[in-house]
Amino acid sequence: MFKASLDKKGKEKRTIAGCRVGEGTMKSGLKVKVLRGGEVIAEGICNSLRRHKLDVDTVGHGSECGLGVEGFDDFQAGDMLHCVDEQ
């Protein structure tokens, strides 16, 4: 986890989770559940998804990415993130 400083564009600082996609895909704009110790501790919208310093819409299986969740910034090592497509 790391703090992303976006002050140059007038946005507030936020915490970004460094992730590796274990199964399926992670998609920007979809609901994300944050699990710690098997318990859901937060839910929010994926409002930032980056790969190799580029904003992306989707990150596939086995890939690393940086991910921000709207309204949540208390990521800890070992947290699991599940992307939920409710279509």
Side-chain angles (χ1 to χ4, degrees):
M1 284 47 73
F2 53 93
K3 293 279 185 188
S5 177
L6 303 173
D7 291 333
K8 292 180 182 179
K9 295 182 181 178
K11 296 180 182 178
E12 63 185 83
K13 294 180 183 181
R14 63 180 180 225
T15 303
I16 302 297
C19 304
R20 173 170 287 156
V21 179
E23 286 182 30
T25 58
M26 186 63 71
K27 296 181 182 180
S28 183
L30 293 183
K31 185 176 181 179
V32 175
K33 292 183 181 183
V34 182
L35 292 91
R36 185 174 295 152
E39 303 267 336
V40 176
I41 61 165
E43 292 184 16
I45 302 297
C46 174
N47 62 2
S48 176
L49 186 60
R50 301 188 89 185
R51 179 155 166 73
H52 299 297
K53 299 183 180 183
L54 299 172
D55 288 322
V56 295
D57 293 325
T58 304
V59 177
H61 170 76
S63 298
E64 293 182 349
C65 63
L67 184 141
V69 177
E70 186 175 289
F72 183 78
D73 66 354
D74 186 31
F75 295 108
Q76 294 182 8
D79 286 351
M80 299 284 292
L81 304 174
H82 287 225
C83 183
V84 181
D85 190 349
E86 297 180 330
Q87 292 181 357

mmCIF file of all heavy atoms in Angstrom, residues 8-48:
data_model
loop_
_atom_site.group_PDB
_atom_site.id
_atom_site.type_symbol
_atom_site.label_atom_id
_atom_site.label_comp_id
_atom_site.label_asym_id
_atom_site.label_seq_id
_atom_site.Cartn_x
_atom_site.Cartn_y
_atom_site.Cartn_z
ATOM 1 N N LYS A 8 -1.463 18.101 -7.437
ATOM 2 C CA LYS A 8 -1.236 18.956 -8.601
ATOM 3 C C LYS A 8 -2.511 19.211 -9.387
ATOM 4 O O LYS A 8 -2.655 20.228 -10.035
ATOM 5 C CB LYS A 8 -0.172 18.339 -9.514
ATOM 6 C CG LYS A 8 1.204 18.334 -8.911
ATOM 7 C CD LYS A 8 2.205 17.720 -9.855
ATOM 8 C CE LYS A 8 3.578 17.669 -9.208
ATOM 9 N NZ LYS A 8 4.569 17.049 -10.087
ATOM 10 N N LYS A 9 -3.444 18.259 -9.339
ATOM 11 C CA LYS A 9 -4.703 18.409 -10.069
ATOM 12 C C LYS A 9 -5.842 18.808 -9.140
ATOM 13 O O LYS A 9 -6.996 18.743 -9.513
ATOM 14 C CB LYS A 9 -5.049 17.100 -10.777
ATOM 15 C CG LYS A 9 -4.063 16.729 -11.849
ATOM 16 C CD LYS A 9 -4.465 15.469 -12.559
ATOM 17 C CE LYS A 9 -3.445 15.103 -13.629
ATOM 18 N NZ LYS A 9 -3.800 13.856 -14.300
ATOM 19 N N GLY A 10 -5.518 19.150 -7.896
ATOM 20 C CA GLY A 10 -6.544 19.582 -6.963
ATOM 21 C C GLY A 10 -7.288 18.453 -6.282
ATOM 22 O O GLY A 10 -8.283 18.682 -5.623
ATOM 23 N N LYS A 11 -6.809 17.228 -6.449
ATOM 24 C CA LYS A 11 -7.450 16.093 -5.797
ATOM 25 C C LYS A 11 -6.749 15.809 -4.479
ATOM 26 O O LYS A 11 -5.585 16.129 -4.291
ATOM 27 C CB LYS A 11 -7.397 14.854 -6.692
ATOM 28 C CG LYS A 11 -8.170 15.006 -7.971
ATOM 29 C CD LYS A 11 -8.081 13.742 -8.799
ATOM 30 C CE LYS A 11 -8.828 13.909 -10.109
ATOM 31 N NZ LYS A 11 -8.720 12.709 -10.945
ATOM 32 N N GLU A 12 -7.474 15.180 -3.553
ATOM 33 C CA GLU A 12 -6.885 14.859 -2.258
ATOM 34 C C GLU A 12 -6.007 13.614 -2.335
ATOM 35 O O GLU A 12 -6.104 12.826 -3.267
ATOM 36 C CB GLU A 12 -7.995 14.636 -1.234
ATOM 37 C CG GLU A 12 -8.903 13.468 -1.545
ATOM 38 C CD GLU A 12 -10.049 13.358 -0.584
ATOM 39 O OE1 GLU A 12 -11.038 14.064 -0.796
ATOM 40 O OE2 GLU A 12 -9.933 12.580 0.370
ATOM 41 N N LYS A 13 -5.149 13.464 -1.342
ATOM 42 C CA LYS A 13 -4.303 12.276 -1.265
ATOM 43 C C LYS A 13 -5.157 11.081 -0.894
ATOM 44 O O LYS A 13 -6.135 11.208 -0.175
ATOM 45 C CB LYS A 13 -3.219 12.484 -0.217
ATOM 46 C CG LYS A 13 -2.230 13.545 -0.572
ATOM 47 C CD LYS A 13 -1.197 13.679 0.511
ATOM 48 C CE LYS A 13 -0.238 14.811 0.168
ATOM 49 N NZ LYS A 13 0.792 14.949 1.192
ATOM 50 N N ARG A 14 -4.777 9.906 -1.399
ATOM 51 C CA ARG A 14 -5.509 8.687 -1.066
ATOM 52 C C ARG A 14 -4.558 7.507 -1.062
ATOM 53 O O ARG A 14 -3.468 7.577 -1.616
ATOM 54 C CB ARG A 14 -6.658 8.454 -2.035
ATOM 55 C CG ARG A 14 -6.208 8.244 -3.455
ATOM 56 C CD ARG A 14 -7.375 8.025 -4.379
ATOM 57 N NE ARG A 14 -6.860 7.833 -5.718
ATOM 58 C CZ ARG A 14 -7.356 8.405 -6.772
ATOM 59 N NH1 ARG A 14 -8.380 9.184 -6.678
ATOM 60 N NH2 ARG A 14 -6.844 8.172 -7.955
ATOM 61 N N THR A 15 -4.998 6.435 -0.435
ATOM 62 C CA THR A 15 -4.180 5.234 -0.363
ATOM 63 C C THR A 15 -4.540 4.310 -1.510
ATOM 64 O O THR A 15 -5.712 4.084 -1.794
ATOM 65 C CB THR A 15 -4.409 4.507 0.977
ATOM 66 O OG1 THR A 15 -4.106 5.416 2.034
ATOM 67 C CG2 THR A 15 -3.522 3.288 1.091
ATOM 68 N N ILE A 16 -3.519 3.782 -2.153
ATOM 69 C CA ILE A 16 -3.686 2.869 -3.275
ATOM 70 C C ILE A 16 -3.153 1.507 -2.854
ATOM 71 O O ILE A 16 -2.078 1.413 -2.272
ATOM 72 C CB ILE A 16 -2.907 3.378 -4.515
ATOM 73 C CG1 ILE A 16 -3.373 4.769 -4.927
ATOM 74 C CG2 ILE A 16 -3.005 2.392 -5.667
ATOM 75 C CD1 ILE A 16 -4.818 4.853 -5.359
ATOM 76 N N ALA A 17 -3.898 0.457 -3.161
ATOM 77 C CA ALA A 17 -3.451 -0.902 -2.857
ATOM 78 C C ALA A 17 -2.673 -1.443 -4.041
ATOM 79 O O ALA A 17 -3.141 -1.376 -5.170
ATOM 80 C CB ALA A 17 -4.652 -1.798 -2.572
ATOM 81 N N GLY A 18 -1.506 -1.971 -3.781
ATOM 82 C CA GLY A 18 -0.754 -2.683 -4.800
ATOM 83 C C GLY A 18 -1.275 -4.111 -4.834
ATOM 84 O O GLY A 18 -1.300 -4.781 -3.807
ATOM 85 N N CYS A 19 -1.743 -4.569 -5.970
ATOM 86 C CA CYS A 19 -2.437 -5.857 -6.052
ATOM 87 C C CYS A 19 -1.893 -6.730 -7.177
ATOM 88 O O CYS A 19 -1.321 -6.232 -8.132
ATOM 89 C CB CYS A 19 -3.921 -5.631 -6.376
ATOM 90 S SG CYS A 19 -4.784 -4.562 -5.244
ATOM 91 N N ARG A 20 -2.156 -8.004 -7.042
ATOM 92 C CA ARG A 20 -1.960 -8.966 -8.131
ATOM 93 C C ARG A 20 -3.306 -9.668 -8.305
ATOM 94 O O ARG A 20 -3.868 -10.180 -7.348
ATOM 95 C CB ARG A 20 -0.876 -9.978 -7.820
ATOM 96 C CG ARG A 20 -0.822 -11.069 -8.920
ATOM 97 C CD ARG A 20 0.365 -11.957 -8.820
ATOM 98 N NE ARG A 20 1.512 -11.156 -9.265
ATOM 99 C CZ ARG A 20 2.753 -11.405 -8.913
ATOM 100 N NH1 ARG A 20 3.038 -12.401 -8.141
ATOM 101 N NH2 ARG A 20 3.728 -10.636 -9.351
ATOM 102 N N VAL A 21 -3.817 -9.701 -9.519
ATOM 103 C CA VAL A 21 -5.113 -10.321 -9.788
ATOM 104 C C VAL A 21 -4.931 -11.843 -9.758
ATOM 105 O O VAL A 21 -4.190 -12.397 -10.562
ATOM 106 C CB VAL A 21 -5.690 -9.861 -11.149
ATOM 107 C CG1 VAL A 21 -7.018 -10.543 -11.410
ATOM 108 C CG2 VAL A 21 -5.846 -8.343 -11.175
ATOM 109 N N GLY A 22 -5.626 -12.504 -8.831
ATOM 110 C CA GLY A 22 -5.490 -13.944 -8.655
ATOM 111 C C GLY A 22 -6.403 -14.751 -9.551
ATOM 112 O O GLY A 22 -6.014 -15.785 -10.085
ATOM 113 N N GLU A 23 -7.628 -14.279 -9.730
ATOM 114 C CA GLU A 23 -8.602 -14.963 -10.587
ATOM 115 C C GLU A 23 -9.411 -13.924 -11.346
ATOM 116 O O GLU A 23 -9.669 -12.845 -10.838
ATOM 117 C CB GLU A 23 -9.593 -15.771 -9.742
ATOM 118 C CG GLU A 23 -9.055 -17.024 -9.139
ATOM 119 C CD GLU A 23 -10.135 -17.772 -8.355
ATOM 120 O OE1 GLU A 23 -11.323 -17.664 -8.715
ATOM 121 O OE2 GLU A 23 -9.773 -18.442 -7.397
ATOM 122 N N GLY A 24 -9.835 -14.263 -12.526
ATOM 123 C CA GLY A 24 -10.719 -13.384 -13.291
ATOM 124 C C GLY A 24 -10.066 -12.071 -13.655
ATOM 125 O O GLY A 24 -8.882 -12.018 -13.986
ATOM 126 N N THR A 25 -10.845 -10.976 -13.577
ATOM 127 C CA THR A 25 -10.351 -9.651 -13.924
ATOM 128 C C THR A 25 -10.815 -8.632 -12.892
ATOM 129 O O THR A 25 -11.836 -8.816 -12.233
ATOM 130 C CB THR A 25 -10.865 -9.198 -15.305
ATOM 131 O OG1 THR A 25 -12.298 -9.207 -15.302
ATOM 132 C CG2 THR A 25 -10.365 -10.087 -16.416
ATOM 133 N N MET A 26 -10.052 -7.556 -12.769
ATOM 134 C CA MET A 26 -10.429 -6.416 -11.943
ATOM 135 C C MET A 26 -10.835 -5.320 -12.912
ATOM 136 O O MET A 26 -10.137 -5.067 -13.895
ATOM 137 C CB MET A 26 -9.245 -5.986 -11.085
ATOM 138 C CG MET A 26 -9.558 -4.898 -10.095
ATOM 139 S SD MET A 26 -10.771 -5.334 -8.831
ATOM 140 C CE MET A 26 -9.855 -6.477 -7.831
ATOM 141 N N LYS A 27 -11.986 -4.684 -12.658
ATOM 142 C CA LYS A 27 -12.493 -3.672 -13.582
ATOM 143 C C LYS A 27 -12.760 -2.366 -12.860
ATOM 144 O O LYS A 27 -13.350 -2.351 -11.786
ATOM 145 C CB LYS A 27 -13.795 -4.155 -14.233
ATOM 146 C CG LYS A 27 -13.608 -5.370 -15.105
ATOM 147 C CD LYS A 27 -14.918 -5.792 -15.738
ATOM 148 C CE LYS A 27 -14.733 -7.048 -16.571
ATOM 149 N NZ LYS A 27 -15.993 -7.480 -17.187
ATOM 150 N N SER A 28 -12.339 -1.284 -13.463
ATOM 151 C CA SER A 28 -12.577 0.043 -12.927
ATOM 152 C C SER A 28 -14.075 0.365 -12.965
ATOM 153 O O SER A 28 -14.778 -0.014 -13.896
ATOM 154 C CB SER A 28 -11.811 1.074 -13.762
ATOM 155 O OG SER A 28 -11.972 2.358 -13.226
ATOM 156 N N GLY A 29 -14.551 1.040 -11.934
ATOM 157 C CA GLY A 29 -15.948 1.466 -11.888
ATOM 158 C C GLY A 29 -16.897 0.460 -11.265
ATOM 159 O O GLY A 29 -18.053 0.775 -11.030
ATOM 160 N N LEU A 30 -16.413 -0.755 -10.997
ATOM 161 C CA LEU A 30 -17.275 -1.761 -10.390
ATOM 162 C C LEU A 30 -17.113 -1.776 -8.870
ATOM 163 O O LEU A 30 -16.156 -1.247 -8.319
ATOM 164 C CB LEU A 30 -16.966 -3.155 -10.940
ATOM 165 C CG LEU A 30 -17.291 -3.388 -12.409
ATOM 166 C CD1 LEU A 30 -16.988 -4.833 -12.789
ATOM 167 C CD2 LEU A 30 -18.749 -3.075 -12.712
ATOM 168 N N LYS A 31 -18.065 -2.398 -8.206
ATOM 169 C CA LYS A 31 -18.046 -2.527 -6.756
ATOM 170 C C LYS A 31 -16.906 -3.455 -6.333
ATOM 171 O O LYS A 31 -16.669 -4.486 -6.951
ATOM 172 C CB LYS A 31 -19.378 -3.102 -6.297
ATOM 173 C CG LYS A 31 -19.568 -3.178 -4.822
ATOM 174 C CD LYS A 31 -20.983 -3.689 -4.573
ATOM 175 C CE LYS A 31 -21.327 -3.802 -3.142
ATOM 176 N NZ LYS A 31 -22.706 -4.285 -2.982
ATOM 177 N N VAL A 32 -16.208 -3.063 -5.253
ATOM 178 C CA VAL A 32 -15.113 -3.850 -4.707
ATOM 179 C C VAL A 32 -15.399 -4.132 -3.242
ATOM 180 O O VAL A 32 -15.781 -3.229 -2.497
ATOM 181 C CB VAL A 32 -13.765 -3.098 -4.834
ATOM 182 C CG1 VAL A 32 -12.643 -3.869 -4.163
ATOM 183 C CG2 VAL A 32 -13.432 -2.834 -6.284
ATOM 184 N N LYS A 33 -15.229 -5.387 -2.837
ATOM 185 C CA LYS A 33 -15.333 -5.766 -1.430
ATOM 186 C C LYS A 33 -13.920 -5.954 -0.902
ATOM 187 O O LYS A 33 -13.099 -6.623 -1.529
ATOM 188 C CB LYS A 33 -16.118 -7.070 -1.267
ATOM 189 C CG LYS A 33 -17.577 -6.935 -1.626
ATOM 190 C CD LYS A 33 -18.310 -8.236 -1.371
ATOM 191 C CE LYS A 33 -19.769 -8.092 -1.748
ATOM 192 N NZ LYS A 33 -20.528 -9.315 -1.460
ATOM 193 N N VAL A 34 -13.644 -5.361 0.258
ATOM 194 C CA VAL A 34 -12.346 -5.506 0.905
ATOM 195 C C VAL A 34 -12.519 -6.511 2.044
ATOM 196 O O VAL A 34 -13.329 -6.306 2.940
ATOM 197 C CB VAL A 34 -11.837 -4.161 1.460
ATOM 198 C CG1 VAL A 34 -10.465 -4.326 2.098
ATOM 199 C CG2 VAL A 34 -11.789 -3.096 0.365
ATOM 200 N N LEU A 35 -11.764 -7.615 1.975
ATOM 201 C CA LEU A 35 -11.844 -8.656 2.993
ATOM 202 C C LEU A 35 -10.553 -8.699 3.795
ATOM 203 O O LEU A 35 -9.461 -8.634 3.231
ATOM 204 C CB LEU A 35 -12.074 -10.030 2.361
ATOM 205 C CG LEU A 35 -13.436 -10.224 1.712
ATOM 206 C CD1 LEU A 35 -13.380 -9.845 0.252
ATOM 207 C CD2 LEU A 35 -13.887 -11.640 1.879
ATOM 208 N N ARG A 36 -10.714 -8.803 5.101
ATOM 209 C CA ARG A 36 -9.572 -8.941 6.001
ATOM 210 C C ARG A 36 -9.888 -10.085 6.949
ATOM 211 O O ARG A 36 -10.895 -10.054 7.643
ATOM 212 C CB ARG A 36 -9.347 -7.647 6.772
ATOM 213 C CG ARG A 36 -8.111 -7.652 7.658
ATOM 214 C CD ARG A 36 -7.857 -6.298 8.273
ATOM 215 N NE ARG A 36 -7.546 -5.328 7.231
ATOM 216 C CZ ARG A 36 -7.799 -4.015 7.347
ATOM 217 N NH1 ARG A 36 -8.355 -3.532 8.439
ATOM 218 N NH2 ARG A 36 -7.486 -3.203 6.362
ATOM 219 N N GLY A 37 -9.061 -11.104 6.936
ATOM 220 C CA GLY A 37 -9.302 -12.262 7.784
ATOM 221 C C GLY A 37 -10.591 -12.981 7.432
ATOM 222 O O GLY A 37 -11.260 -13.541 8.290
ATOM 223 N N GLY A 38 -10.970 -12.938 6.139
ATOM 224 C CA GLY A 38 -12.177 -13.609 5.676
ATOM 225 C C GLY A 38 -13.466 -12.838 5.896
ATOM 226 O O GLY A 38 -14.533 -13.273 5.480
ATOM 227 N N GLU A 39 -13.379 -11.666 6.544
ATOM 228 C CA GLU A 39 -14.561 -10.836 6.818
ATOM 229 C C GLU A 39 -14.575 -9.616 5.897
ATOM 230 O O GLU A 39 -13.532 -8.990 5.681
ATOM 231 C CB GLU A 39 -14.529 -10.336 8.262
ATOM 232 C CG GLU A 39 -14.439 -11.425 9.300
ATOM 233 C CD GLU A 39 -15.798 -11.848 9.811
ATOM 234 O OE1 GLU A 39 -16.736 -11.040 9.729
ATOM 235 O OE2 GLU A 39 -15.897 -12.982 10.287
ATOM 236 N N VAL A 40 -15.749 -9.268 5.379
ATOM 237 C CA VAL A 40 -15.876 -8.051 4.570
ATOM 238 C C VAL A 40 -15.799 -6.859 5.514
ATOM 239 O O VAL A 40 -16.616 -6.731 6.424
ATOM 240 C CB VAL A 40 -17.202 -8.026 3.783
ATOM 241 C CG1 VAL A 40 -17.337 -6.713 3.031
ATOM 242 C CG2 VAL A 40 -17.279 -9.193 2.813
ATOM 243 N N ILE A 41 -14.789 -6.004 5.320
ATOM 244 C CA ILE A 41 -14.641 -4.838 6.194
ATOM 245 C C ILE A 41 -15.054 -3.540 5.509
ATOM 246 O O ILE A 41 -15.267 -2.532 6.170
ATOM 247 C CB ILE A 41 -13.204 -4.709 6.733
ATOM 248 C CG1 ILE A 41 -12.205 -4.528 5.591
ATOM 249 C CG2 ILE A 41 -12.842 -5.892 7.604
ATOM 250 C CD1 ILE A 41 -10.849 -4.032 6.045
ATOM 251 N N ALA A 42 -15.169 -3.571 4.179
ATOM 252 C CA ALA A 42 -15.578 -2.370 3.444
ATOM 253 C C ALA A 42 -16.037 -2.747 2.048
ATOM 254 O O ALA A 42 -15.650 -3.776 1.513
ATOM 255 C CB ALA A 42 -14.424 -1.384 3.357
ATOM 256 N N GLU A 43 -16.882 -1.884 1.503
ATOM 257 C CA GLU A 43 -17.315 -1.995 0.114
ATOM 258 C C GLU A 43 -17.287 -0.606 -0.495
ATOM 259 O O GLU A 43 -17.586 0.371 0.173
ATOM 260 C CB GLU A 43 -18.735 -2.562 0.019
ATOM 261 C CG GLU A 43 -18.856 -3.993 0.447
ATOM 262 C CD GLU A 43 -20.261 -4.554 0.244
ATOM 263 O OE1 GLU A 43 -21.052 -3.943 -0.505
ATOM 264 O OE2 GLU A 43 -20.548 -5.595 0.832
ATOM 265 N N GLY A 44 -16.904 -0.532 -1.735
ATOM 266 C CA GLY A 44 -16.881 0.746 -2.429
ATOM 267 C C GLY A 44 -16.664 0.519 -3.907
ATOM 268 O O GLY A 44 -16.546 -0.610 -4.375
ATOM 269 N N ILE A 45 -16.610 1.613 -4.632
ATOM 270 C CA ILE A 45 -16.410 1.567 -6.080
ATOM 271 C C ILE A 45 -14.920 1.705 -6.387
ATOM 272 O O ILE A 45 -14.227 2.528 -5.790
ATOM 273 C CB ILE A 45 -17.196 2.703 -6.773
ATOM 274 C CG1 ILE A 45 -18.675 2.601 -6.457
ATOM 275 C CG2 ILE A 45 -16.941 2.712 -8.280
ATOM 276 C CD1 ILE A 45 -19.336 1.341 -6.951
ATOM 277 N N CYS A 46 -14.436 0.903 -7.315
ATOM 278 C CA CYS A 46 -13.052 1.017 -7.774
ATOM 279 C C CYS A 46 -12.936 2.327 -8.564
ATOM 280 O O CYS A 46 -13.434 2.433 -9.670
ATOM 281 C CB CYS A 46 -12.673 -0.176 -8.659
ATOM 282 S SG CYS A 46 -11.041 -0.025 -9.402
ATOM 283 N N ASN A 47 -12.326 3.333 -7.937
ATOM 284 C CA ASN A 47 -12.251 4.647 -8.585
ATOM 285 C C ASN A 47 -10.880 4.936 -9.197
ATOM 286 O O ASN A 47 -10.671 5.993 -9.769
ATOM 287 C CB ASN A 47 -12.641 5.745 -7.600
ATOM 288 C CG ASN A 47 -11.725 5.830 -6.398
ATOM 289 O OD1 ASN A 47 -10.749 5.095 -6.286
ATOM 290 N ND2 ASN A 47 -12.046 6.714 -5.481
ATOM 291 N N SER A 48 -9.959 3.994 -9.069
ATOM 292 C CA SER A 48 -8.644 4.152 -9.678
ATOM 293 C C SER A 48 -8.069 2.776 -9.959
ATOM 294 O O SER A 48 -7.991 1.935 -9.065
ATOM 295 C CB SER A 48 -7.712 4.917 -8.737
ATOM 296 O OG SER A 48 -6.411 4.994 -9.281
#
